Every structure is written in structure tokens, then in C-alpha cells.
Amino acid sequence: MGVDGPRGAEWHWLWMVYVVGVGAAAMFAVVVLDHRFPGTAPVAIAAIAGMMLCVVTLGRRIFILPENSWAAALFVGVVVALWTLALWASPVAVAAVPTLYPIVFATLTLRAALVTTTAINLIPLTLVIVREGIRSPNIGIAIAFTFIGVIIAPVIGTVIITSMRQRRQLAALVGELAATRAESARLSREAGTAAERERLAREIHDTLAQGFTSIVMLAQAVEPELESDTAKAKRHVELIAATARENLAEARAMVAELTPSPLEEPLPAAIQRQCDRLAAETDALVTVHIAGDVPPQSMASDVVLLRAVQEAFANIRKHAHASAVTVELSPSDSGVRLTVTDNGIGLNRGQIEGFGLRGMRARVAQVGGAVSVSAAAGGGTTLTVEVPS
């Protein structure tokens, strides 16, 4: 992961405490050691206080700027100038030099920061030489402080840079994690929406749409029968009313997220009712064979088998033109087998599966079953659905 994310968040509040704490200790040292290293203590204290004020009030805004920007360089220049003023007023102000290291390394690039801190470490020795000459009794202390600073500055700088890089990486990682979680939630919502739409589409196709298709076909059959066969027309009108009532019950069940209305009765009875309706609507001979040893199924498997019957009957009504249909429900090696056979026109070679058959395959797959569609012996089509018990 790179470290080119937003700057500023990596400047931990402990660094601010460090700068203020070391600055306060330096001011205390200026007051306490003024008798040993005389100078203008008030000026030194005011300059160190100015450094601390700059860091506390402007530091956070400066640290979010790009490295080596003119504002960042100006900020470092002002802080270093205030420290130099304090050092000129009192040599004890050299104790405040550690406050400059985190400021410089957090503001400038590593190369610029190393050059700047090296120059800062040479300032105390330079001031001693300028003010007191090469033979000053304080030259040894100044040289010692310079060597200490030259060694400490890169170490502190490395710690600071490492800490800032780790915090920046952590901030970037947290941002990526939040974005990933948001994207995952969005995809999950979209997947759930798509799955629910597909489920509703299958429910509507297998129930309401097929019921409306039956109503349309019956209504078309009624019109010529009104004059030629009143009794048959009346029977078809009764079927239209019954189908409409069932569709209304299906619609209410969907809205209320209840069990589909046909499954308010046992599966064999629901299949028998569908067969009776097909026979009444098409005048086809519908034969039903339901074995007595069919193992009990889950509600999901019962729904799958019933919807398979409804889809098979819908295709028979619209396409097969069959005069005989056989429905068998029997136990299989792994569960229950449903077989629907008709003597209609059969399958067209190269025919593409429609939405209903695709929806049936999806339903059966959800319960771990299998679907096969083949040509029946002697013509027609055989649909076989097996679901595990």
C-alpha cells in the first residue's frame, strides 16, 4: 500500500504534547540557570512561548499541506527563527532544540528535513563562536550539543517518519475497509433485490399469469357456446369465476407473504385439483397416479412440485394440443419423482426454453433436485422432476 493519502491525520496529539512539554521544560531551565548562564531570560521565554503558540494554533493546518510547500517552509522558518532568538537571548534555550525535530520532519521531505536539522544543530556552536570567539569557555559544551543533536536528529526523524507513515497507512486501510464494506453492502442489496425480483417473476408466471391465461382461453370458448351449447358455456363461466377467485387468493398470499394458497391443502389434493381444472378447460383425458408411499416433503419441495405441474399444464394448454395427459407422483431413490406426460405435438428441434421452464429449473435447483424434458414414446412430451426428501 502506498502512503500518498491525505496528510495531517498522522500528526498524533502526543507529538503536540511533546512539543509543548519540552518547550515548557526549556523555559523552566532558562529561569533556573539564568544565574549560571546569564542572558535576557524574558526574551528567551517569550520566544519559546511563541514557538509553542505557533505549533498549537497553526501546526494542525500546516501539517496537512503538501511537503515543502511555501506555507510549510515559512512555518518552519518562523519556528526556527523564534528558537534562534531565544538562543541568542539565553544559551540555555538550546534545551528547546528537540521541539524542532518533529516539526521539521512532519513538515518537510526527508532530505530537506535532514539538511534543515543539521543546520539547526550547528546554530548553537555558530552563536558561541560569533559572540565569544573560538576560545570561549563554552565552546566544548557547544560542540558536545552539536554532536548530540547531529546523532539524535536522524533517530528522532526516523521514528517520526515511521510513525507518520504507519498512521497514514492505517488511515488509508480504514478508508479502504469502509469503502469495501459499503461496496459489499451495495452489492448485497442489489443481489437481494435481483433475487427477489426473479422470485416474484417466477411466482407471477407460475400462478397469476397462468390463471389469467386460463381465463382468456375460457372466455374465448364461451362466446361461440352461448348459442350452440348453453350448458357447456355455463360450466366454462363457472370455471372462469373459480380461476379468478384462485388468482385473487394467490395475489393476496403474495402481498401478505403467506404460503401460496394451493398449499393450504396436501400436495396430492393440490395436484388433483390442477388436473381437474385442466380436464375441464381442455376436454383432455387427464389420468392421475399418486403412490401411497410418497415420503413427506418440506414445504419448499411441495411448492416446487406443484409449480412444476402448473407450468407443465400451462404449456399443454398453449402449445401441446394434447388429448391425453398422465400425471404420476411416486417415490424415487433419493426422494420424490413427478412425471407429466402428454400426447401432444411434442418438442420442436432447436426450440429455445422459455421463461417458465427456466424458472422451473431454477426452483428445482434451489431444493437440490433435477429436471428433464424429453420426447414421449408415441409422440408428445414427458417432463420429469425429482426432488430429494
Side-chain angles (χ1 to χ4, degrees), residues 200-224:
L200 289 175
R202 289 198 301 265
E203 287 290 336
I204 292 172
H205 177 274
D206 292 344
T207 56
L208 301 182
Q210 294 180 8
F212 288 134
T213 300
S214 296
I215 291 173
V216 170
M217 294 177 63
L218 290 170
Q220 291 173 344
V222 164
E223 185 175 357

Side-chain angles (χ1 to χ4, degrees), residues 226-258:
L226 291 175
E227 297 179 357
S228 61
D229 192 344
T230 305
K232 193 172 184 179
K234 182 179 178 181
R235 183 164 59 88
H236 283 168
V237 170
E238 292 174 351
L239 285 173
I240 290 174
T243 303
R245 284 193 295 269
E246 290 182 7
N247 262 24
L248 180 60
E250 289 281 2
R252 287 173 174 170
M254 287 182 191
V255 172
E257 288 295 333
L258 298 176

Side-chain angles (χ1 to χ4, degrees), residues 334-383:
S334 59
V336 175
R337 178 186 297 111
L338 169 71
T339 305
V340 179
T341 304
D342 66 74
N343 64 346
I345 61 176
L347 298 172
N348 294 326
R349 183 171 299 179
Q351 182 178 355
I352 300 176
E353 292 185 357
F355 178 82
L357 188 53
R358 292 199 304 270
M360 183 195 303
R361 292 189 186 279
R363 282 182 182 277
V364 175
Q366 286 179 349
V367 297
V371 176
S372 66
V373 181
S374 60
T381 305
T382 297
L383 169 70

